[in-house]
Amino acid sequence: MGTKPFTFRVYRFDPAQDEEPGYRAYDLDVPEGMTVLEALLRIQAEQDGTLAFRYACRGAVCGSCAMMINGREALACRTQVHDLADQPRTLYEGLEREEKEKRAEDESVITVEPLRNLEVIKDLVVDMDPFFEKLEAVEPWLQPREPHPEAERVVKPEAWAEAEPYTNCILCACCHSVCPVEEEDPAYLGPAALAQHYRFLADARDAADEERLALVGGEHGVAACDFVWNCVEICPKGVPPTKGIAKTRARITRRRDQSDGEGE
Ligand code: SF4
């Protein structure tokens, strides 16, 4: 396939400059295999040093470079530009219909935007504080009852299998961005925090089930999930937040039924 020309329409906004948000176009010849992150680094180095975005590991393990690419949440370091030609196009809000359709058909135009449901600090950089506050609220750390053993706590493989998929989360916030409940209810704990909550609920070494269920039993906890499954579909690491939420909900219902039965 070799090198192909692309136009990157990148969201630009600097709240400190008191200017309207908008898009700026950058043309770039992209060799096969180049990722969106590499393209942004090239644009920043050669065309516009004011462009702001986050990245760290470049290997899909830190979650820092999550952004909207052609209208879909993705890790920029894991998204190859040439591969985007086969994927659905973004709708370019605010453009005239004709122009919108033209760009939607143009495979050489790549739209890059910040994640949704988080405030923009500058360009593609969003404020992750609300995301991490929700994570902290579910106490994502081991809470065993017994004192620390001499050696490590051993977990049998079959017991670990339930918690293991949730340990793959890299806290990229793609699920937070794609979740329609997050958009309507900013107090909702959200798929990432609830997935990490279930990771410890399912951990055979943890003994704080009662306290953990109480943490997510309110109106902004698991009860608020609409089971749209966007988070499962978008997660770049295969974490299934909705499944964990459903299992947590079932545990809460069982506990409630049990205590109702005991009270009769
Ligand atoms: Fe990202 Fe998946 Fe973790 Fe959500 S669950 S923060 S999408 S890795």
Side-chain angles (χ1 to χ4, degrees):
M1 248 198 298
T3 297
K4 287 204 308 196
F6 281 87
T7 300
F8 290 81
R9 291 180 52 79
V10 183
Y11 181 90
R12 302 301 310 268
F13 179 44
D14 184 354
Q17 295 302 317
D18 196 25
E19 59 188 28
E20 288 296 307
Y23 292 82
R24 204 170 294 169
Y26 305 94
D27 294 331
L28 192 69
D29 287 336
V30 179
E32 195 175 356
M34 179 181 262
T35 64
V36 171
L37 177 61
E38 288 166 335
L40 291 174
L41 285 163
R42 183 77 68 82
I43 290 167
Q44 192 187 52
E46 296 174 0
Q47 300 186 39
D48 188 346
T50 68
L51 177 61
F53 52 93
R54 276 201 190 101
Y55 72 99
C57 75
R58 305 191 193 201
V61 288
C62 77
S64 308
C65 68
M67 56 187 72
M68 305 290 294
I69 300 171
N70 279 352
R72 196 179 157 86
E73 288 80 1
L75 299 179
C77 71
R78 209 170 86 154
T79 307
Q80 294 194 11
V81 178
H82 285 216
D83 290 350
L84 290 167
D86 302 328
Q87 290 178 10
R89 323 298 296 169
T90 186
L91 289 178
Y92 302 110
E93 285 311 318
L95 291 179
E96 295 297 323
R97 186 187 163 83
E98 243 177 60
E99 178 71 356
K100 196 185 274 191
E101 283 172 359
K102 192 171 122 253
R103 292 207 184 139
E105 282 168 10
D106 189 347
E107 293 176 352
S108 69
V109 178
I110 309 290
T111 300
V112 186
E113 298 161 307
L115 289 180
R116 298 175 276 182
N117 301 330
L118 292 163
E119 257 182 55
V120 173
I121 295 174
K122 186 174 185 300
D123 304 333
L124 305 174
V125 179
V126 291
D127 180 5
M128 294 288 283
D129 281 358
F131 175 82
F132 287 115
E133 280 160 16
K134 290 176 183 189
L135 185 70
E136 203 179 342
V138 302
E139 303 185 359
W141 51 83
L142 202 60
Q143 299 181 42
R145 284 277 179 267
E146 318 86 48
H148 288 294
E150 294 278 311
E152 68 272 16
R153 296 176 200 272
V154 178
V155 180
K156 292 199 173 120
E158 53 275 22
W160 183 241
E162 185 62 23
E164 198 272 339
Y166 301 89
T167 64
N168 295 325
C169 176
I170 55 171
L171 303 175
C172 66
C174 284
C175 56
H176 182 102
S177 172
V178 81
C179 175
V181 184
E182 290 273 9
E183 191 180 352
E184 282 170 24
D185 175 12
Y188 173 46
L189 283 168
L194 292 173
Q196 288 316 294
H197 175 271
Y198 185 70
R199 175 248 175 277
F200 288 97
L201 196 63
D203 193 314
R205 299 164 297 178
D206 197 86
D209 287 15
E210 290 298 332
E211 296 86 338
R212 289 199 185 282
L213 293 176
L215 286 176
V216 301
E219 61 173 318
H220 304 296
V222 286
C225 175
D226 278 345
F227 291 93
V228 179
W229 293 81
N230 280 357
C231 53
V232 179
E233 196 205 323
I234 210 74
C235 178
K237 303 304 276 190
V239 180
T242 316
K243 277 192 192 168
I245 291 170
K247 289 178 178 176
T248 307
R249 247 199 211 186
R251 299 249 313 241
I252 290 174
T253 307
R254 266 203 309 278
R255 290 283 157 122
R256 205 169 286 151
D257 290 348
Q258 273 169 5
S259 55
D260 286 352
E262 284 160 14
E264 283 169 8

